[in-house]
Structures are given as structure tokens and as C-alpha cells.
Amino acid sequence: DDEQQIFDSLNSLGVNLTTSELLKNYFFSRNNLTDYQTIWEPVFDNSVATKEYWDTIIETGRIRRPLIDIFFDAYFQLFIQNKKYSISTEDKLIYARTDRLSNSYQSFVDNYCGGSKQLILSSLKEYAELFRKTFQPDICDTTIPSTFGIERLNVVIFGLKTTTLIPYVLYLAKNISDTTALNKMYGILESYVMRRIVTHATSKNYNNLFLSLIANEILDADDLRTRLQAASGTNSYIPTDTELQDGFEHSKLMNLYSKGVLYLIESHIRPAQSAVVLHGFNNYSLEHLMPKKWHNNWPACPTPLDAEKRDSILLTLGNLAIIPQSLNASIRDSDWNTKKAGKGQEKPGLTLCASGLSTLQDALTKTDWNESEIQTRALWLYKQAQSLWKL
């Protein structure tokens, strides 16, 4: 029996197959077994560790996808955005859909490659190896450098779930050989995304924006800045310093984003000779310095309006901290002095749990923690961010 026909029949009956399984079946058969053994097997099937890497499930928006499918999506976009193929606008819209990626590959081969699969296969191994070298979701479990580079950008991509960056970053990694120039590009991307996160700017247009950078062959730092600055007045604009400061003072971000902002600042400003090791992004939890349940153990507010303002400001970045272990519930909601000191070894406070964290050191010297201190710390955090995320 023809095993490929059986495979296709099963798929047509609704068996849940991944994009990569469908593509493997499309590109390889007994007739080109050598191609499979030299192109596919060495990068996708050569060991348990390799298969575990490609099978890693990543959240992209509301969808969970294996890393191998994300690779094939990014790899495909490098062809689609290449102007030499003159892809029609209608086909570009269809090819952007991840739910029909396997069909899109076949359509592209039939309509733009004269039916030859070799164009796709000729560089598949090279790009797959580069993808694995570049994109490391587990970097979120290890320390990262203080300076711009792919390690920090991996935290932005996987830790903060900004996977729409992947095709453009793969394009940069392939076409820029100078490490300094490449890291400068990564720094611009980190700065752009993080400024927008702090200011609550939408990420809805990211896919179109980053794919347009591929289509326009943006491979230079000045060109990238110019391209991003040209988006002023659109929903892809670069937030100004004034907007960034306002974000630190007033934005109420989802916990994941707040943790990412504080973690990337922490990793940048931490002294190189620090005796305390910086953990990976995943090893920190977010803590409200003034607790949400402040009514129980903190001084009362003069008026209900003041209480409302306090409830609002304690959700902003000036009142948030990353710590390597969650505080005991009885410590979390305690008064400020108890929250710092803890209640013995079994219930440590912030002073012990957060020792060595540069983003928290000054706060822990305060004898009182209130709205004024929160505003002061928000301004200090803004200045660190302004220095780090320059555009």
C-alpha cells in the first residue's frame, strides 16, 4: 500500500496532525529518502534532546503550538516577504494564516516555484539549525547578560510572549554576520517592544510591522530606527520619554509584563561584581510592596477618595517588585516593618528574600512605604528604563 496516500486519507478524516507532520509527508517520500536523511533527520529527528526542543509547546496569542510549527511559519514568511517572488496580495493574506500553513506551502510551490519543492528544501536544514541556535525558550530559566543580545530578546519573545518577532529576528540572524551590529538591532527591538509594553500600547499590528521589515530588507540599525519612527501617528508608534514616564507612574500592567519590565531593568543595572546571582526570568514572582489588602494592617486613609487613589497606585510599577520566592501569606499582607523583617526563618520577609536586588535595595531602606514613596520609585525606575531603552 502507498503509505503516503494512507497518511493523507487519515488527515482528511480529521486526525489531528501537526503542521510539521503534514509538511514532512508532503516534502519526503520513498522516492527521495536520501533528502529526508540529509535534510530533515539531522535537524529534527537525530536525538531525544532534539525532538524535545522542537516539541516544546509555546503560547502564541491564545494558541499553543510546538516550536517546530513556529519555525515552519517563520521560514515560510522569509519566502513570502521576498519581493522576487511577487506574491499577490490575496495570496499573502492566505499565506499569513497559521491554521492552513501546510496547504500554503503546497500552494506556494505550485504557483510560484513551478511545482519544484527544491527551493524550500535547499535551505531548510541551514535555517532550522540557525533557528535552534537563535531561539531558546529555556533562557527564561537562566541568567541573562546586562547588555543587548539574543539572550535578552529571548526573554521578550518567550517570557513575554511576543512571538511575532520571530520571523524578523530569524531574518536578521541569517543576514547580519557582525555580532555587534546584530546585537544593536536586537537592542532596538527590545527597546521598542518594552516601551510599548510599559505604555500599554497594543501589539495587534506587530505581525504586519515585523513582516514589513523583512519585505523592505531592513538590516541596518539606522534604517530600523527610521522605519519605526515613521510609524508615528499609527498604532505602531514609538512611545516618547514623556509617555514612558507616564507609563511607569500610571500604567496597570498584567503581572507577566510588570515582571518582565522589572526583570530586564534589574538585569541591566545589577553590578557585575554582585555577590547575588541573577536567576532566570521564570524563577521570580511579582510582589506588591504595599499589599492589595492594606486595609488590614496599614494606616487608614483620611477619606474614601484617598483610599481609592491608594487602591489605584499600588497596582503601578512603583509599588511592584520581583523576588525569587513568594512571601508567606501572613507576611505579604503585614505592615511595612513586618513585611521587611519577616517572622523568623520559617516566614522570611523582603529583606532576606530580596537581598541583592538592585531594583529593590533603596525601597528596603525606607522606614515607611506610602503613596509618595511609590511615586518616587516609579520615577527612579523610569530613569533606568529611559537610559536602557533608548530610541
Side-chain angles (χ1 to χ4, degrees):
D1 291 326
D2 185 339
E3 72 279 4
Q4 278 197 289
Q5 183 59 49
I6 294 171
F7 187 88
D8 288 337
S9 297
L10 285 172
N11 184 50
S12 69
L13 293 172
V15 175
N16 187 21
L17 299 169
T18 66
T19 296
S20 58
E21 289 170 330
L22 295 171
L23 288 173
K24 180 165 65 171
N25 184 64
Y26 169 67
F27 283 118
F28 305 104
S29 67
R30 286 182 179 179
N31 295 331
N32 63 344
L33 185 60
T34 301
D35 283 343
Y36 169 78
Q37 292 172 335
T38 57
I39 297 173
W40 185 283
E41 194 171 42
V43 289
F44 296 121
D45 285 335
N46 68 345
S47 70
V48 172
T50 295
K51 291 177 75 84
E52 286 179 350
Y53 171 80
W54 291 113
D55 289 342
T56 302
I57 299 298
I58 303 297
E59 287 187 28
T60 58
R62 298 179 181 178
I63 304 171
R64 291 167 57 83
R65 304 167 66 198
L67 206 53
I68 189 171
D69 284 6
I70 294 174
F71 160 71
F72 275 107
D73 186 15
Y75 182 56
F76 189 48
Q77 290 305 320
L78 300 185
F79 292 99
I80 304 314
Q81 302 306 321
N82 193 324
K83 292 179 179 178
K84 76 176 183 180
Y85 297 113
S86 301
I87 310 296
S88 70
T89 302
E90 182 180 356
D91 279 345
K92 277 193 174 184
L93 291 173
I94 295 173
Y95 293 165
R97 292 178 54 182
T98 58
D99 61 334
R100 51 169 293 125
L101 188 57
S102 175
N103 292 335
S104 293
Y105 264 98
Q106 296 177 47
S107 171
F108 175 70
V109 168
D110 291 340
N111 297 327
Y112 296 96
C113 304
S116 173
K117 303 173 185 177
Q118 197 54 40
L119 176 70
I120 302 292
L121 294 179
S122 62
S123 56
L124 178 61
K125 180 181 177 183
E126 179 185 10
Y127 271 99
E129 290 173 338
L130 179 61
F131 185 97
R132 185 173 180 183
K133 178 182 176 183
T134 303
F135 299 104
Q136 296 291 333
D138 59 2
I139 200 71
C140 294
D141 296 316
T142 62
T143 188
I144 60 171
S146 61
T147 54
F148 293 132
I150 193 57
E151 298 87 355
R152 295 176 64 88
L153 203 57
N154 267 298
V155 172
V156 175
I157 291 170
F158 297 109
L160 303 185
K161 299 178 173 52
T162 316
T163 53
T164 44
L165 276 167
I166 288 177
Y168 182 54
V169 173
L170 181 61
Y171 175 74
L172 294 178
K174 177 65 172 66
N175 291 284
I176 301 178
S177 57
D178 181 79
T179 303
T180 301
L182 187 58
N183 287 341
K184 185 179 290 187
M185 299 291 277
Y186 291 158
I188 294 172
L189 293 175
E190 178 188 327
S191 301
Y192 174 75
V193 171
M194 296 310 297
R195 276 177 173 260
R196 290 179 60 83
I197 281 178
V198 171
T199 56
H200 248 313
T202 180
S203 61
K204 288 183 179 179
N205 196 46
Y206 279 179
N207 191 54
N208 291 334
L209 171 66
F210 297 132
L211 292 182
S212 74
L213 298 178
I214 299 174
N216 289 281
E217 301 178 352
I218 305 300
L219 291 167
D220 175 80
D222 290 335
D223 289 343
L224 178 56
R225 285 195 196 92
T226 300
R227 191 82 186 182
L228 294 176
Q229 287 164 352
S232 176
T234 72
N235 61 2
S236 300
Y237 73 100
I238 299 173
T240 64
D241 285 350
T242 300
E243 291 169 310
L244 187 66
Q245 180 177 341
D246 185 74
F248 272 95
E249 293 178 338
H250 300 108
S251 288
K252 301 172 184 63
L253 308 178
M254 58 186 284
N255 284 354
L256 183 70
Y257 286 165
S258 295
K259 188 172 84 162
V261 170
L262 294 168
Y263 180 77
L264 289 170
I265 291 176
E266 175 70 36
S267 65
H268 176 69
I269 67 174
R270 171 175 292 235
Q273 68 275 18
S274 175
V276 180
V277 175
L278 178 71
H279 300 295
F281 174 75
N282 289 339
N283 300 112
Y284 288 95
S285 60
L286 196 68
E287 182 68 29
H288 291 75
L289 300 182
M290 178 186 291
K292 293 180 181 179
K293 298 179 181 179
W294 59 268
H295 305 78
N296 297 333
N297 298 300
W298 289 61
C301 291
T303 68
L305 181 58
D306 290 321
E308 264 185 55
K309 290 179 179 178
R310 176 176 288 182
D311 285 333
S312 179
I313 198 171
L314 66 82
L315 300 175
T316 61
L317 286 161
N319 189 52
L320 300 176
I322 53 169
I323 57 175
Q325 66 181 87
S326 297
L327 296 181
N328 181 277
S330 66
I331 301 297
R332 187 180 305 125
D333 298 329
S334 294
D335 62 89
W336 179 236
N337 288 331
T338 303
K339 190 161 189 175
K340 286 195 299 178
K343 298 178 180 178
Q345 291 294 325
E346 297 299 317
K347 298 178 180 179
L350 287 171
T351 301
L352 183 60
C353 292
S355 176
L357 285 169
S358 297
T359 48
L360 198 50
Q361 278 184 345
D362 188 58
L364 295 180
T365 66
K366 305 298 181 181
T367 56
D368 188 24
W369 191 253
N370 51 41
E371 291 84 341
S372 176
E373 295 294 357
I374 291 173
Q375 290 176 322
T376 298
R377 182 164 177 267
L379 182 59
W380 179 82
L381 286 170
Y382 154 69
K383 289 178 178 177
Q384 311 312 308
Q386 180 193 34
S387 174
L388 170 59
W389 296 319
K390 298 175 183 175
L391 277 170

